[in-house]
Amino acid sequence: MATTQPPATRDDPGKAELPPGAVPVVDVAGASPVRHPLRWLAVLLLAVLAAQLFHFLITNPHFEWSTVGAYFGAQVIGQGIATTVELTAIAMLIGIAGGVLVAVGRMSENRVLSTVCGAYVWFFRGIPVLVQLVFWYNLSALLPRISFGVPFGPEFISGHTNTLITPWLAAILGLGLNEAAYMAEIVRGGLLGVDQGQTEAAAALGMGRARILRRVVLPQAMRFIIPPTGSQVINMLKATSLVSVLALADLLYTVQSIYNRTFETIPLLIVACLWYLVMTSVLYVGQSFIERYYARGATRHAPQGFWNFALFRRRPDAPSPAADSPLAKEET
Amino acid sequence: MTAQDTQEATGPETAVPEATAAEATAGATGATGSAGEVPMVVAQRVRKRFGQLEVLRGIDLKVRQGEVVVLLGPSGSGKSTFLRCINHLEQIDAGSIHVEGRLIGFRRSGGRVHHLRPREVTRQRRDIGMVFQHFNLFPHQTVLENVVEAPVGVLGLSKAEARKTAMELLTRVGLAEKAASYPRQLSGGQQQRVAIARALAMRPKLMLFDEPTSALDPELVGEVLATMRDLARDGLTMLVVTHEIGFAKEVADRVVFMDGGQVLETGTPQEVLDSPANPRTRAFLSRFL
């Protein structure tokens, strides 16, 4: 290369006086950035759309913002929210517990067990939740009486299905059993994501299978399980609105029953929307924190405390892009 | 000592049928010459296959208490598999392995051999420590938690007691100041030393090392070997799969050369490493010169 003319010299006649093989003295500090006119156009467009939306929200009388305000903190809405939260919590607990069991069953060496667990996932994932809810609700048509006892033998307890399967129980069963199928796949994925060497090392230390799962594999699988589970919780919170078809007074059913009376449909739906957004936002923040907790040891940095995280404080040892550049190091 | 000698040395028990494994162990004791001492490991005609591939084709090996035995051989020769059979991480297909006179993974009753329950296998592993090529520390636990986990969870020691022992062991491997760190914050050599401390925390009678330095940068190998040398000096019974010929020469009481799932040669480091009788041993060692 040194003997031939450098291409730069040929391209730029102004630098032709440089001796062959030499490079001009350049400092890229303070270089002018690339312009992005299209981005500015997009920003302008979005600004106009935002202004329009704002105008629409303010000037359209059908929103009836005063009605929204009046109902937003109403006690009856609070009861609906409580039911929604309760359904979400219980159905998710059933879903997670059932999911872990089905996942472990699916990974079992016992062929029958793993097949049955696989079939469970196939069945409950394959039918829409709404259909499952309605089915549980109408179980009495198929099975008028439910009894517990020795199979084909004497009964211990029995009762009418209609008294046993209340709308609340139908909702819990429908949502929970469906969720267990999804959680099973999430948990299984998480368990498979943990290196086999971890199980071997724990086994070599004399740990039993249950202990290995509880102390070694699950805590590590949590890193893979938590993010999708978080979105499952958020999905579940929204899916509970389906139970309004069972006349269960969740948030949606509560606002429906009010606007069926008062015909303030839009403002009450907005109340529901706002509360769903508030709840999902809280869940989102909680999920991010739990994720950070289970990421301990996964990176070279210590996990961040809750308040630092909640208040959007940067962790002090976090690698910021600026800190990595040599220029920033010179400054400090 | 050549392969033939090994056969002779383990002759009494290989000659008897498997039903008399206990007597065979007794015979093995006699063969070592030190009366009353149960050998730490007695492997008899151990066979293991993975699908079509027969990885172990009749391994006979005896390790006395306090002995350091280094297993050498090309990759794929079955050394690691054999090591993993000793604590039943792999189940053997035929033959038997006794550790301290106890049949590993199986039990004999009524003239028949039965598989042990997982719980019983788990119990047998307590006395056998193992160190892995890739350390396999628990990344979600600190160094101290890693070392304390099994003594508390398996042996039922109190946390305070286990912590005290753990700190002593970490001091011994030179990592006491890293107790609060997470494994990923440590170098490979440090991680492996923690893994050794973790295994020692169970007070094992036998330690298995499965290529403990193979995943390390060359400049980190020394610290791990030094730790192992220290253990050997303390009289711990060790079975080491390694490619560190220097370590074998210096520390091993006996070197076993394996190839193709068989023990081809066994003897003192001088016998096997300096004047190997088997041409395949010679070919293997020539690569390290």
Side-chain angles (χ1 to χ4, degrees):
Chain A
M1 273 306 281
T3 53
T4 58
Q5 283 237 321
T9 317
R10 249 182 280 134
D11 293 342
D12 192 351
K15 298 271 163 45
E17 69 271 13
L18 275 171
V23 165
V25 180
V26 177
D27 187 358
V28 297
S32 42
V34 179
R35 308 278 171 212
H36 298 284
L38 278 178
R39 286 187 199 170
W40 284 106
L41 193 68
V43 168
L44 198 69
L45 207 67
L46 287 174
V48 172
L49 285 172
Q52 267 192 307
L53 179 67
F54 192 67
H55 181 255
F56 172 69
L57 287 172
I58 296 289
T59 57
N60 191 323
H62 302 300
F63 278 113
E64 297 178 48
W65 288 108
S66 58
T67 317
V68 171
Y71 278 111
F72 190 73
Q75 205 198 344
V76 64
I77 299 289
Q79 285 161 359
I81 291 169
T83 305
T84 292
V85 169
E86 184 188 61
L87 280 177
T88 307
I90 296 175
M92 271 319 290
L93 284 180
I94 292 175
I96 291 169
V100 171
L101 288 180
V102 174
V104 172
R106 263 197 101 172
M107 293 167 78
S108 161
E109 286 166 24
N110 183 333
R111 282 284 179 80
V112 178
L113 190 60
S114 67
T115 308
V116 168
C117 290
Y120 178 91
V121 172
W122 166 79
F123 186 82
F124 282 93
R125 280 207 311 183
I127 300 170
V129 195
L130 186 56
V131 178
Q132 290 182 42
L133 284 170
V134 177
F135 209 99
W136 282 111
Y137 187 57
N138 291 306
L139 193 67
S140 62
L142 175 71
L143 212 75
R145 288 178 66 81
I146 293 180
S147 63
F148 297 92
V150 179
F152 309 106
E155 293 176 2
F156 300 139
I157 311 167
S158 78
H160 289 287
T161 303
N162 266 339
T163 50
L164 229 63
I165 308 277
T166 58
W168 189 84
L169 193 60
I172 289 295
L173 284 173
L175 294 173
L177 295 181
N178 182 261
E179 188 57 34
Y182 283 94
M183 283 306 301
E185 287 301 276
I186 291 171
V187 171
R188 193 169 69 102
L191 294 179
L192 290 175
V194 178
D195 179 25
Q196 183 63 33
Q198 293 288 311
T199 307
E200 283 182 357
L205 284 167
M207 292 166 75
R209 278 195 285 193
R211 179 176 297 279
I212 293 172
L213 185 69
R214 191 162 48 82
R215 295 287 302 173
V216 176
V217 178
L218 261 183
Q220 294 182 61
M222 281 304 198
R223 277 195 61 226
F224 308 104
I225 293 174
I226 290 290
T229 304
S231 38
Q232 287 300 111
V233 175
I234 291 170
N235 275 335
M236 175 61 82
L237 187 94
K238 293 181 291 178
T240 53
S241 64
L242 293 173
V243 305
S244 58
V245 301
L246 311 183
L248 198 64
D250 75 317
L251 179 55
L252 178 62
Y253 187 81
T254 307
V255 301
Q256 279 175 336
S257 54
I258 296 172
Y259 70 62
N260 282 340
R261 218 168 50 235
T262 64
F263 299 103
E264 294 160 326
T265 312
I266 293 297
L268 276 155
L269 284 177
I270 284 175
V271 168
C273 288
L274 289 176
W275 273 116
Y276 279 121
L277 280 173
V278 167
M279 290 189 281
T280 49
S281 305
V282 169
L283 288 177
Y284 177 74
V285 173
Q287 176 197 352
S288 311
F289 179 67
I290 296 173
E291 262 173 49
R292 270 148 215 265
Y293 174 77
Y294 279 107
R296 72 193 191 283
T299 64
R300 286 170 167 246
H301 302 285
Q304 195 180 18
F306 175 76
W307 286 111
N308 279 345
F309 165 70
L311 300 173
F312 297 103
R313 276 189 211 137
R314 275 201 91 86
R315 46 165 104 182
D317 56 343
S320 69
D324 286 343
S325 81
L327 282 175
K329 267 178 203 153
E330 272 168 34
E331 282 164 21
T332 51
Chain B
M1 213 192 260
T2 63
Q4 284 73 30
D5 293 329
T6 318
Q7 289 297 331
E8 276 168 37
T10 52
E13 65 267 22
T14 48
V16 295
E18 279 173 27
T20 58
E23 293 155 36
T25 312
T29 313
T32 62
S34 51
E37 192 201 73
V38 182
M40 187 57 77
V41 180
V42 180
Q44 298 173 84
R45 288 173 297 170
V46 170
R47 288 182 174 273
K48 171 74 189 171
R49 59 164 65 243
F50 292 117
Q52 288 295 306
L53 183 70
E54 190 162 32
V55 189
L56 301 180
R57 299 190 297 166
I59 302 283
D60 285 298
L61 183 74
K62 195 161 56 199
V63 179
R64 290 190 306 274
Q65 305 218 5
E67 200 177 18
V68 176
V69 174
V70 167
L71 290 174
L72 285 180
S75 37
S77 59
K79 319 174 294 281
S80 286
T81 304
F82 176 61
L83 209 63
R84 293 160 57 82
C85 287
I86 293 176
N87 64 358
H88 209 64
L89 282 181
E90 303 289 352
Q91 186 177 306
I92 60 175
D93 297 329
S96 70
I97 296 175
H98 284 80
V99 173
E100 280 204 306
R102 275 185 312 172
L103 183 60
I104 292 295
F106 301 86
R107 73 189 157 82
R108 298 188 322 125
S109 81
R112 289 195 55 192
V113 181
H114 304 268
H115 284 271
L116 282 185
R117 296 176 172 284
R119 182 187 299 249
E120 294 162 326
V121 174
T122 293
R123 202 178 169 83
Q124 288 187 329
R125 288 190 183 124
R126 286 186 188 180
D127 297 336
I128 307 172
M130 188 161 192
V131 172
F132 297 84
Q133 182 178 355
H134 295 289
F135 333 133
N136 297 351
L137 291 177
F138 307 137
H140 60 297
Q141 297 183 337
T142 63
V143 163
L144 185 63
E145 286 166 349
N146 262 277
V147 182
V148 163
E149 178 65 47
V152 171
V154 177
L155 298 181
L157 294 188
S158 76
K159 277 195 181 149
E161 199 179 341
R163 278 211 194 100
K164 188 166 159 285
T165 321
M167 285 312 295
E168 284 167 14
L169 286 168
L170 287 175
T171 307
R172 184 170 179 190
V173 299
L175 288 168
E177 79 280 8
K178 296 288 185 187
S181 304
Y182 283 96
R184 291 211 175 107
Q185 295 168 321
L186 305 183
S187 74
Q190 291 172 329
Q191 288 190 48
Q192 194 61 296
R193 280 145 64 199
V194 173
I196 292 173
R198 178 175 70 172
L200 289 176
M202 291 295 286
R203 305 193 182 286
K205 292 170 180 154
L206 167 69
M207 280 281 276
L208 309 173
F209 291 85
D210 188 5
E211 304 206 25
T213 58
S214 297
L216 296 177
D217 292 336
E219 78 266 24
L220 301 178
V221 168
E223 59 189 71
V224 172
L225 293 183
T227 305
M228 292 167 61
R229 207 174 290 129
D230 182 44
L231 298 178
R233 210 175 294 132
D234 276 13
L236 186 67
T237 313
M238 292 162 62
L239 198 49
V240 184
V241 171
T242 186
H243 293 291
E244 298 292 331
I245 305 287
F247 176 81
K249 238 176 215 166
E250 189 194 341
V251 181
D253 296 312
R254 210 140 52 86
V255 172
V256 174
F257 179 77
M258 279 179 68
D259 195 7
Q262 287 175 312
V263 172
L264 294 188
E265 193 160 357
T266 170
T268 63
Q270 289 72 33
E271 286 168 342
V272 176
L273 300 174
D274 295 338
S275 51
N278 193 294
R280 275 200 273 174
T281 316
R282 238 174 284 144
F284 174 77
L285 290 172
S286 68
R287 276 183 266 150
F288 290 91
L289 294 176

